[in-house]
């Protein structure tokens, strides 16, 4: 009996919010509060046979704490999160990494402030800068010619730019990139800190990096001040579940908390928060034995794919970058575009994370018990459908344009706009972010001067059938510009 009570006490400590919700459900409570499904007991929900998840979809009741002013189980869960990741403070996000990016940027800078930004950040970074009215200073990129995508910032050139802007309010980086390539950022972060410039890193795809080898290094261990992670991308959290970590002596965490209260829903999702609680417990428990087993499983899986003549695994040859074990990039050797390869996979009910001009990206599970060999059979079946085809167009690389936004976002808001044909837009200033999606990295930014290279690349990827946000598709491709 005593041993059972000790085990129960340990369990309660490991996942305080999850256990509080479980205890709440055991009471069989009668709901006279929101949400309207009444703990999943609404007759319509019952008739649909919806899962019991809804019984955890509650509101801020006694004993279940308040995300915006936590004092009980959510506070305890966030403290456990902070300990697990080695931060000073950590917070649950229920509106995705997007809200973490927005809140951090609005806390760090204001109108007309200069902010040093990695050029291939997620669109939410540029939305945050636009809301703040800041002026971005772009860092040049390393481009992988085989993949045809940017990897990360060019360290040497970026260090020189940081030295030129000692009054910048922040350096904002993305690491790893969407394809799982990660770089060592210690030197760049240390340089920024010598100038008292805080460094914020969007580590959306690296919530599992805290495990250590064989995964890339995590941003907090490199010295970043603010790190935002999408727990739902590689940990078993619900969609929109994310973490924000702070480890810094040069930023005011109270400002970030204030912005989170403004931007996050005043009715936060308890299922999402519970999933963040158990995901932290999960990643803490993913010990070396599980890591070794998973690594062996993935390497065996990759060896099987290597034997398929119609498919090729693509990895960066740039030794300054480390590839995440959970990201697998595949390319057809038979001339298919990424979108065509994706369509063939879907005929076998294989759904990939994204497709680009030539590749598909698979995100593998952080699960040593996953049936890799069983799922390989479907990939093999798909590969056998890939007969040789010829393509008219074959782009080789995203253009590495060292452009700049000549105005702050605050001044852009006062300028008028018009719509013109894309092919006539050279030299004009873009009034929109032009964003291939996924992955959501703008190829052309609001306020950026449009070049011939921009136009050629946008036309090229449009011909491949990629979805491009904010591009106007009529008889002629059109774009909104400032006048």
């Amino acid at each position: 009996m005593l041993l059972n009570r000790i085990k129960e006490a340990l369990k309660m400590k490991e996942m305080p919010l999850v256990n509080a919700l479980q205890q709440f459900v055991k009471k069989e409570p009668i709901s006279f509060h929101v949400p309207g499904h009444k703990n999943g007991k609404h007759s319509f929900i019952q008739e649909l046979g919806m899962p019991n998840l809804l019984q955890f979809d509650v509101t801020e009741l006694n004993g279940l704490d308040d995300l915006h002013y936590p004092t009980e189980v959510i506070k305890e869960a966030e403290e456990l999160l902070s300990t697990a990741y080695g931060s000073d403070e950590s917070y649950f996000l229920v509106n995705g990494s997007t809200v973490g990016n927005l809140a951090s940027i609005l806390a760090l800078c204001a109108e007309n402030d200069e902010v040093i930004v990695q050029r291939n950040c997620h669109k939410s970074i540029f939305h945050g800068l636009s809301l703040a009215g800041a002026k971005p200073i772009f860092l040049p990129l390393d481009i992988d010619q085989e993949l045809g995508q940017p990897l990360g910032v060019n360290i040497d050139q970026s260090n020189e730019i940081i030295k030129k802007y000692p009054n910048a309010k922040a350096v904002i980086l993305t690491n790893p990139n969407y394809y799982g390539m990660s770089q060592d950022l210690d030197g760049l972060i240390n340089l920024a800190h010598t100038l008292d410039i805080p460094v914020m890193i969007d580590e959306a795809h690296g919530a599992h990096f805290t495990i250590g080898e064989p995964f890339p290094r995590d941003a907090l261990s490199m010295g970043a001040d603010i790190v935002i992670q999408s727990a739902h991308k590689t940990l078993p959290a619900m969609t929109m579940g994310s973490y924000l970590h702070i480890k810094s002596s040069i930023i005011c965490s109270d400002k970030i908390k204030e912005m989170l209260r403004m931007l996050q829903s005043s009715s936060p999702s308890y299922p999402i928060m519970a999933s963040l609680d158990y995901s932290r417990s999960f990643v803490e428990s993913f010990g070396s034995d599980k890591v070794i087993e998973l690594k062996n499983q993935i390497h065996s899986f990759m060896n099987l794919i290597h034997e398929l003549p119609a498919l090729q695994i693509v990895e960066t040859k740039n030794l300054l970058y480390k590839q995440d074990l959970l990201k697998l990039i595949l390319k057809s050797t038979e001339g298919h575009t990424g979108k065509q390869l994706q369509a063939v996979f879907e005929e076998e009910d294989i759904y990939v994370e994204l497709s680009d001009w030539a590749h598909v990206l698979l995100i593998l599970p952080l699960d040593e018990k996953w049936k890799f060999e069983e799922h390989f059979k479907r990939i093999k079946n798909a590969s056998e459908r890939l007969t040789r085809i010829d393509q008219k167009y074959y782009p080789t690389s995203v253009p590495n344009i060292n452009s700049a936004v000549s105005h702050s976002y605050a001044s852009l808001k006062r300028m008028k706009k018009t719509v013109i044909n894309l092919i006539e837009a050279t030299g004009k200033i873009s009034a929109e972010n032009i964003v291939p999606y996924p992955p959501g990295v703008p190829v052309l930014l609001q306020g950026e001067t449009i070049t011939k290279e921009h136009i050629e690349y946008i036309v090229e990827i449009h011909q491949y059938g990629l979805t491009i946000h904010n591009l106007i598709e009529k008889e002629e491709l059109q774009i909104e510009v400032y006048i």
Side-chain angles (χ1 to χ4, degrees):
M1 289 289 292
L2 178 60
L3 181 60
N4 288 338
R5 285 201 297 271
I6 292 172
K7 286 181 178 178
E8 186 65 25
L10 288 172
K11 185 187 294 185
M12 293 291 285
K13 183 178 181 182
E14 288 170 359
M15 294 185 290
L17 180 55
V18 171
N19 285 283
L21 288 166
Q22 288 176 333
Q23 293 299 317
F24 177 76
V25 169
K26 283 180 182 178
K27 298 176 184 178
E28 297 188 359
I30 298 171
S31 171
F32 289 108
H33 54 75
V34 298
H37 56 67
K38 302 302 176 186
N39 298 342
K41 294 180 181 178
H42 190 290
S43 61
F44 181 71
I45 298 297
Q46 295 286 310
E47 289 165 7
L48 287 175
M50 296 295 286
N52 286 335
L53 177 67
L54 290 177
Q55 65 188 331
F56 296 105
D57 186 24
V58 293
T59 190
E60 295 92 339
L61 305 174
N62 287 335
L64 296 181
D65 213 351
D66 181 343
L67 175 65
H68 296 294
Y69 297 93
T71 59
E72 301 169 326
V73 290
I74 295 176
K75 182 176 186 291
E76 185 180 353
E78 289 184 330
E79 287 172 349
L80 287 168
L81 175 65
S82 176
T83 299
Y85 280 84
S87 70
D88 295 337
E89 300 173 65
S90 293
Y91 306 105
F92 287 169
L93 304 177
V94 296
N95 295 76
S97 287
T98 292
V99 77
N101 289 337
L102 296 178
S104 299
I105 290 169
L106 290 172
L108 291 172
C109 60
E111 277 196 8
N112 300 315
D113 283 343
E114 292 174 334
V115 180
I116 299 169
V117 188
Q118 184 168 328
R119 176 60 182 77
N120 64 321
C121 283
H122 187 263
K123 62 180 181 178
S124 61
I125 297 292
F126 298 107
H127 290 164
L129 293 170
S130 178
L131 288 171
K135 185 177 188 299
I137 309 298
F138 296 134
L139 296 177
L141 303 172
D142 290 329
I143 302 292
D144 188 292
Q145 297 300 328
E146 168 65 19
L147 185 60
Q149 296 291 343
L151 296 173
V153 295
N154 182 287
I155 296 294
D156 291 339
Q157 295 176 33
S158 296
N159 283 341
E160 293 305 311
I161 289 175
I162 291 171
K163 291 175 186 176
K164 289 180 182 178
Y165 294 93
N167 296 319
K169 298 299 181 181
V171 173
I172 301 176
L173 307 171
T174 296
N175 194 62
N177 70 359
Y178 209 108
Y179 293 84
M181 287 83 168
S182 181
Q183 65 185 136
D184 190 337
L185 295 166
D186 296 69
L188 188 149
I189 293 171
N190 289 338
L191 173 62
H193 285 169
T194 63
L195 301 170
D196 287 329
I197 303 174
V199 178
M200 167 187 159
I201 296 186
D202 179 352
E203 196 177 47
H205 286 262
H208 59 295
F209 287 3
T210 187
I211 293 171
E213 288 289 342
F215 301 108
R217 290 180 60 203
D218 66 285
L220 284 174
S221 72
M222 295 184 202
D225 299 273
I226 305 171
V227 177
I228 297 99
Q229 301 166 331
S230 295
H232 66 93
K233 293 191 185 300
T234 55
L235 305 186
M238 291 182 66
T239 298
M240 294 199 299
S242 297
Y243 299 140
L244 188 152
H245 307 287
I246 298 173
K247 189 174 184 178
S248 178
S249 60
I250 58 175
I251 65 167
C252 178
S253 62
D254 287 343
K255 288 185 179 180
I256 295 177
K257 286 186 279 189
E258 179 185 3
M259 291 301 161
L260 287 175
R261 291 178 188 129
M262 290 183 182
L263 297 173
Q264 290 209 99
S265 171
S266 59
S267 301
S269 165
Y270 271 84
I272 292 176
M273 289 190 288
S275 77
L276 290 171
D277 193 20
Y278 69 63
S279 290
R280 182 271 314 155
S281 179
F282 163 78
V283 79
E284 274 191 305
S285 69
F286 206 84
S288 59
D289 55 335
K290 294 181 180 180
V291 170
I292 292 169
E293 177 63 21
L294 176 65
K295 182 179 178 180
N296 291 338
Q297 291 268 18
I298 291 177
H299 285 169
S300 296
F301 180 62
M302 292 173 67
N303 287 336
L304 290 171
I305 294 174
H306 276 303
E307 295 174 4
L308 301 176
L311 291 176
Q312 174 188 352
I313 295 175
V314 178
E315 298 177 300
T316 183
K317 295 180 177 64
N318 190 320
L319 299 179
L320 296 176
Y321 291 82
K322 183 171 182 177
Q323 176 72 42
D324 181 9
L325 188 66
L326 300 187
K327 298 292 182 73
L328 186 61
I329 306 163
L330 299 181
K331 179 180 180 181
S332 166
T333 60
E334 302 298 325
H336 299 79
T337 66
K339 190 154 189 172
Q340 289 166 337
L341 182 55
Q342 179 181 15
V344 172
F345 273 25
E346 289 182 0
E347 290 175 10
E348 289 292 330
D349 291 324
I350 302 167
Y351 294 89
V352 300
E353 172 67 13
L354 65 81
S355 63
D356 62 24
W357 61 275
H359 313 91
V360 294
L361 173 65
L362 282 62
I363 299 183
L364 306 181
L366 188 67
D367 184 357
E368 82 285 3
K369 297 177 182 178
W370 190 258
K371 295 179 173 60
F372 283 96
E373 286 193 22
E374 184 177 317
H375 298 315
F376 166 75
K377 294 174 185 177
R378 290 196 189 181
I379 292 178
K380 184 175 184 293
N381 291 341
S383 74
E384 291 170 352
R385 298 173 183 264
L386 299 173
T387 55
R388 184 70 195 176
I389 59 175
D390 294 320
Q391 299 288 346
K392 284 185 178 180
Y393 304 99
Y394 217 70
T396 57
S397 182
V398 62
N400 192 6
I401 301 168
N402 290 325
S403 55
V405 172
S406 54
H407 305 271
S408 71
Y409 284 114
S411 61
L412 288 176
K413 291 174 184 177
R414 296 188 287 271
M415 297 172 66
K416 294 182 179 180
K417 305 175 184 179
T418 189
V419 173
I420 63 173
N421 289 337
L422 178 64
I423 60 171
E424 300 169 356
T426 301
K428 303 291 186 182
I429 298 175
S430 177
E432 287 283 2
N433 294 328
I434 303 300
V435 188
Y437 201 90
V441 175
V443 67
L444 182 62
L445 291 168
Q446 177 191 15
E448 202 168 21
T449 300
I450 303 167
T451 67
K452 180 182 176 183
E453 289 81 6
H454 283 125
I455 295 170
E456 289 176 347
Y457 184 72
I458 292 168
V459 169
E460 220 163 13
I461 62 175
H462 180 265
Q463 288 171 332
Y464 270 100
L466 298 188
T467 299
I468 306 174
H469 292 181
N470 299 325
L471 184 67
I472 302 168
E473 301 183 53
K474 294 190 175 180
E475 290 182 9
E476 298 281 344
L477 295 179
Q478 297 182 321
I479 188 171
E480 194 170 32
V481 297
Y482 289 108
I483 53 175

